[in-house]
Amino acid sequence: MVFANVARSTLAACTLSALAFAPLASADEIQLNGSGASFPFPLYAKWAKDFSRKHKGIQLQYQAVGSGAGIRAFLAETVDFAASDAAMNDEEIAKVPTDKGVVLLPMTAGEVVLSYNLPGNPELKLPRDVMQDIFLGKLTTWRDERLQQANPGIDFPDDDITVVRRSDSSGTTYVFTGHLACASDEFKQEVGHGKSVNWPKSFVGAPKNDGVAAMIKQTPGAIGYIEYGYAEATGQPMASLQNKAGEFVKPGEASGQAALASAEFPSGDLPGYAGTPDLRVWVCDPTGEAAYPIATFTWMLMYQHQDEEKAQVLREFIEYGLNKGQKDAPKMGYIPLPENVKAKVEDALKLVGDSK
Amino acid sequence: MASNPFAHIVTQCSGPPSASDYAIDRALRMIVKGAAAVILLLVAYIIFELGRQALPAMLNFGPGFLIGTEWNVQDQVFGILPEIWGTLYSSLLALFLGGLFGVAIAIFLTQDFLDHRLSNVFRTIVEMLAAIPSVVYGLWGIYVLIPLIRPAAEWLHDSFGWLPLFGTDLAGPGMAPAALVLAVMILPTVAAISVDAFRRVPYKVKEAAYGMGTTRWEAILKVMLPTASSGILAALVLGFGRALGETMALAMLIGNSNQISLSLFAPANTLASLLASSFPEAGPVEVQALMFAALALLAITLIVNVVGLWVMKAATRKFEGKA
């Protein structure tokens, strides 16, 4: 009797596990892999999960390996799609195998915020020139006339400013230095604009967003840049920044969309691709009064010519991300795409795959 | 009583080796030799592959790479002197602290200070330190160690700021927390191997020392320690090697700043940390430079090991009377 029971349950377990593994083994299962930027990872991963759940026989996966690694994987054709916070530059686009072709689609957007560690963490307003001086390494103490004027309510400590920066090369640094390089020629000359730049030697480097966030939390008098979504999730204090119009603006969904609304897409085609719109645009220093100064799109990289079956799934996936997926964005700390951008992406989407 | 009580043993033990014995013996020897050869091949291949990928950078930057102080991706200027300095400085500090405590623990555990069972428990606990993942050490450093040493660091800087050792303020991450965590990380290696080294010394050596009228400390410091010195040196070399190559905890704690400073509280950088933080997003030229840096790290490790072996041999000759 006991034996029979064991045998039966073993049999049941075997059948169950066979069932569980069956989808993996079936031949008509479509597996799509993407990799790239870590900034949009939580959002893309959620899209991929929800999309795969809705469509039987489709497995979509996205791995956060960094924008640079994502582009490398895309050029080496080891993925079905990739993602990058810095899009691709002209050189990289020229390296895409011509029998594949590339189209770049902005899929979501985000902000970079300045987080800090001051006694009691009051709401900090950071004037433009003060922010530039801090990140040029020129202003090293919190007791500053201009800071005090902008924040009459704060009793600044007699601490040195410890600037925490990313030690790894990252899209966040690219976006952040992009804004500063736009706003200040001196910054462009001294520090530069890129995924890793020539920071002053006194700055402290920490790996990834969580490393920078932890370092700020642990160091009195620290300030550093992290992604909005990350700061929001971990409850880090975020400074209001002064935009080009002179207003102090808090980071958030509305101020981010105001920044992106001023984006002017280039009118030409992607270099080397007649008929493919160039959707690479940066709003390094938005002019709107309500605009938060540091906002950016982030892109997905798709092959133009590819297996039609896969292309069909990818188009559906992007459709999903553009419509349903945008509703997930604000909850997770991203900025939904403005309508005009969405229309452009929908247009460019037709280029994925050969059936037009 | 004609039967031989040892018959069953005789049939099993004696007699020439059979053909299958020979075959097994030969097969085993081949497998072992093969395994040894694979290790050599693997090392050779790693060096070859690193060298192949680093070659463009070596031709491009030349020896200036080793004494350059800037790592600037935008201008494609690469130099690793600050990283070499940081690697050696942090590892030496860690070796000093970890070595001191490691050998002290070994003496404590082997020289009859503790009950035998208790010392075994103690040893297991020390060895468990080796099982803690590197990233946990890093987090522990950020959340526990740095706040802990900050008051002391501030006091040292305020009182002895004229000493280059305490020349800067501790911002948070820096050489001191990195070296302290590194010391804890190499402690189990140093302690465990030193314990074995002390246990290998025959007990009669100590009895002889006592017999000649030494005190306990004279016996430990003048007899036991020199006799076990080759094993202890081996422990130190291994610990140093581990410190040189440690990556994640250091990437989190050292501050990743390309500067050469004697100050214990200034942020610095190490080769392994540079590799870990720059590799994922590096462009083609930077990858070549990173391969060059990896080769330099390999060379440093090799030199340390060779020098360590040489010192060990000298110690053996001097203290243990072996050639």
Side-chain angles (χ1 to χ4, degrees):
Chain A
M1 231 354 241
V2 171
F3 174 73
N5 265 339
V6 171
R8 202 177 303 141
S9 54
T10 316
L11 193 68
C14 286
T15 332
L16 266 180
S17 58
L19 278 175
F21 285 114
L24 281 178
S26 79
D28 40 21
E29 154 106 346
I30 301 180
Q31 269 253 4
L32 290 170
N33 292 308
S35 71
S38 49
F39 154 59
F41 169 75
L43 187 64
Y44 289 177
K46 182 170 171 21
W47 291 357
K49 208 171 92 191
D50 293 353
F51 184 79
S52 303
R53 197 179 291 152
K54 272 204 192 122
H55 297 77
K56 252 197 153 175
I58 294 175
Q59 273 296 324
L60 238 152
Q61 267 164 21
Y62 179 72
Q63 287 182 333
V65 293
S67 299
I71 291 173
R72 277 209 295 278
F74 189 80
L75 295 180
E77 298 179 51
T78 55
V79 288
D80 298 301
F81 67 97
S84 162
D85 295 336
M88 284 170 103
N89 60 29
D90 292 355
E91 269 167 57
E92 287 161 345
I93 289 175
K95 277 194 211 149
V96 177
T98 41
D99 60 323
K100 287 285 203 169
V102 62
V103 55
L104 297 157
L105 308 169
M107 289 306 294
T108 186
E111 290 161 305
V112 176
V113 303
L114 286 180
S115 187
Y116 49 89
N117 183 336
L118 290 171
N121 282 335
E123 278 194 21
L124 181 70
K125 285 180 180 167
L126 216 52
R128 272 167 90 83
D129 50 343
V130 174
M131 173 174 156
Q132 288 161 15
D133 282 357
I134 290 176
F135 285 92
L136 274 165
K138 286 206 284 191
L139 180 64
T140 56
T141 166
W142 284 105
R143 292 247 166 108
D144 179 78
E145 196 84 345
R146 295 163 294 173
L147 260 177
Q148 194 66 66
Q149 232 164 32
N151 303 277
I154 302 180
D155 179 22
F156 284 101
D158 190 19
D159 275 336
D160 284 345
I161 297 180
T162 302
V163 181
V164 187
R165 60 166 176 90
R166 286 283 288 265
S167 62
D168 49 335
S169 165
S170 83
T172 314
T173 306
Y174 185 85
V175 173
F176 183 66
T177 55
H179 165 72
L180 282 169
C182 255
S184 152
D185 276 337
E186 193 184 352
F187 188 88
K188 200 174 175 179
Q189 297 286 324
E190 299 276 314
V191 183
H193 172 208
K195 284 186 280 191
S196 77
V197 294
N198 200 15
W199 290 116
K201 303 249 190 273
S202 57
F203 289 12
V204 164
K208 308 269 167 206
N209 270 299
D210 33 359
V212 174
M215 206 55 88
I216 295 170
K217 229 180 219 167
Q218 288 303 309
T219 312
I223 188 165
Y225 57 94
I226 45 180
E227 286 150 8
Y228 169 66
Y230 194 85
E232 179 86 344
T234 53
Q236 300 263 91
M238 296 175 244
S240 299
L241 301 185
Q242 193 178 28
N243 61 21
K244 204 170 188 177
E247 300 292 325
F248 287 98
V249 182
K250 264 193 191 170
E253 187 189 336
S255 59
Q257 269 196 319
L260 295 176
S262 64
E264 277 180 38
F265 284 90
S267 51
D269 292 337
L270 210 58
Y273 292 89
T276 303
D278 189 351
L279 296 180
R280 297 174 297 165
V281 65
W282 281 272
V283 272
C284 67
D285 201 5
T287 45
E289 275 189 15
Y292 181 77
I294 319 174
T296 183
F297 292 109
T298 175
W299 288 262
M300 275 197 190
L301 285 44
M302 297 278 168
Y303 295 115
Q304 291 204 6
H305 314 293
Q306 55 175 311
D307 176 43
E308 183 46 35
E309 201 182 7
K310 281 187 173 180
Q312 166 103 32
V313 176
L314 284 172
R315 284 197 301 265
E316 278 175 31
F317 175 59
I318 293 169
E319 277 293 343
Y320 176 86
L322 282 178
N323 296 300
K324 240 185 151 134
Q326 293 299 315
K327 295 201 182 77
D328 296 328
K331 275 178 279 174
M332 300 176 71
Y334 300 89
I335 308 169
L337 293 178
E339 284 302 321
N340 63 329
V341 180
K342 209 168 111 179
K344 277 184 206 285
V345 177
E346 246 156 20
D347 229 26
L349 179 58
K350 299 190 187 101
L351 294 165
V352 179
D354 289 314
S355 75
K356 281 181 192 167
Chain B
M1 289 317 268
S3 70
N4 180 356
F6 300 112
H8 63 288
I9 299 176
V10 170
T11 52
Q12 273 173 14
C13 279
S14 69
S18 65
S20 73
D21 284 341
Y22 275 120
I24 290 172
D25 194 47
R26 246 180 235 137
L28 186 74
R29 196 171 304 173
M30 292 237 298
I31 290 172
V32 172
K33 275 187 181 163
V38 165
I39 291 177
L40 287 181
L41 277 176
L42 198 63
V43 171
Y45 178 68
I46 289 174
I47 294 175
F48 166 75
E49 190 65 25
L50 271 179
R52 195 176 63 85
Q53 298 201 35
L55 195 63
M58 288 160 109
L59 295 175
N60 204 351
F61 303 116
F65 184 73
L66 299 176
I67 51 169
T69 57
E70 211 172 318
W71 189 274
N72 188 336
V73 181
Q74 286 168 315
D75 305 341
Q76 306 274 311
V77 179
F78 300 109
I80 54 168
L81 191 64
E83 283 80 11
I84 293 178
W85 163 257
T87 305
L88 291 176
Y89 195 31
S90 62
S91 301
L92 280 172
L93 284 172
L95 183 68
F96 175 70
L97 288 170
L100 203 66
F101 281 96
V103 174
I105 288 174
I107 291 175
F108 181 60
L109 293 185
T110 55
Q111 302 306 310
D112 310 319
F113 287 96
L114 269 185
D115 178 72
H116 212 66
R117 259 170 304 170
L118 206 59
S119 88
N120 271 339
V121 172
F122 212 111
R123 182 184 167 167
T124 314
I125 292 173
V126 172
E127 277 169 18
M128 256 163 59
L129 285 177
I132 298 175
S134 180
V135 66
V136 174
Y137 274 114
L139 287 173
W140 177 76
I142 291 177
Y143 287 108
V144 181
L145 189 69
I146 291 179
L148 205 68
I149 64 172
R150 182 172 283 124
E154 265 165 24
W155 180 78
L156 280 171
H157 172 59
D158 289 343
S159 318
F160 302 99
W162 45 271
L163 271 174
L165 220 50
F166 309 120
T168 57
D169 213 6
L170 180 74
M175 184 56 80
L180 281 172
V181 165
L182 213 47
V184 178
M185 292 179 83
I186 66 168
L187 189 67
T189 313
V190 176
I193 299 176
S194 302
V195 164
D196 289 339
F198 277 114
R199 291 226 169 115
R200 264 209 325 269
V201 179
Y203 199 73
K204 60 184 181 201
V205 172
K206 206 198 291 182
E207 280 177 342
Y210 284 145
M212 293 173 74
T214 63
T215 64
R216 184 185 212 178
W217 279 108
E218 277 169 345
I220 290 173
L221 293 179
K222 293 190 177 155
V223 178
M224 297 303 283
L225 202 60
T227 317
S229 62
S230 69
I232 292 171
L233 279 168
L236 294 179
V237 170
L238 266 176
F240 195 57
R242 168 139 202 230
L244 286 174
E246 175 48 45
T247 308
M248 200 53 220
L250 281 191
M252 293 165 84
L253 287 171
I254 199 151
N256 302 292
S257 170
N258 285 1
Q259 59 178 348
I260 301 176
S261 164
L262 260 180
S263 171
L264 291 175
F265 307 136
N269 207 352
T270 71
L271 283 167
S273 167
L274 173 79
L275 287 170
S277 40
S278 304
F279 216 88
E281 298 265 342
V285 181
E286 197 184 0
V287 165
Q288 293 161 5
L290 286 170
M291 289 293 178
F292 197 175
L295 213 54
L297 179 59
L298 203 65
I300 292 175
T301 317
L302 189 73
I303 292 169
V304 165
N305 273 298
V306 169
V307 171
L309 270 178
W310 181 77
V311 173
M312 236 159 73
K313 237 184 178 161
T316 317
R317 205 173 305 144
K318 183 154 193 284
F319 296 120
E320 294 175 27
K322 292 171 199 157

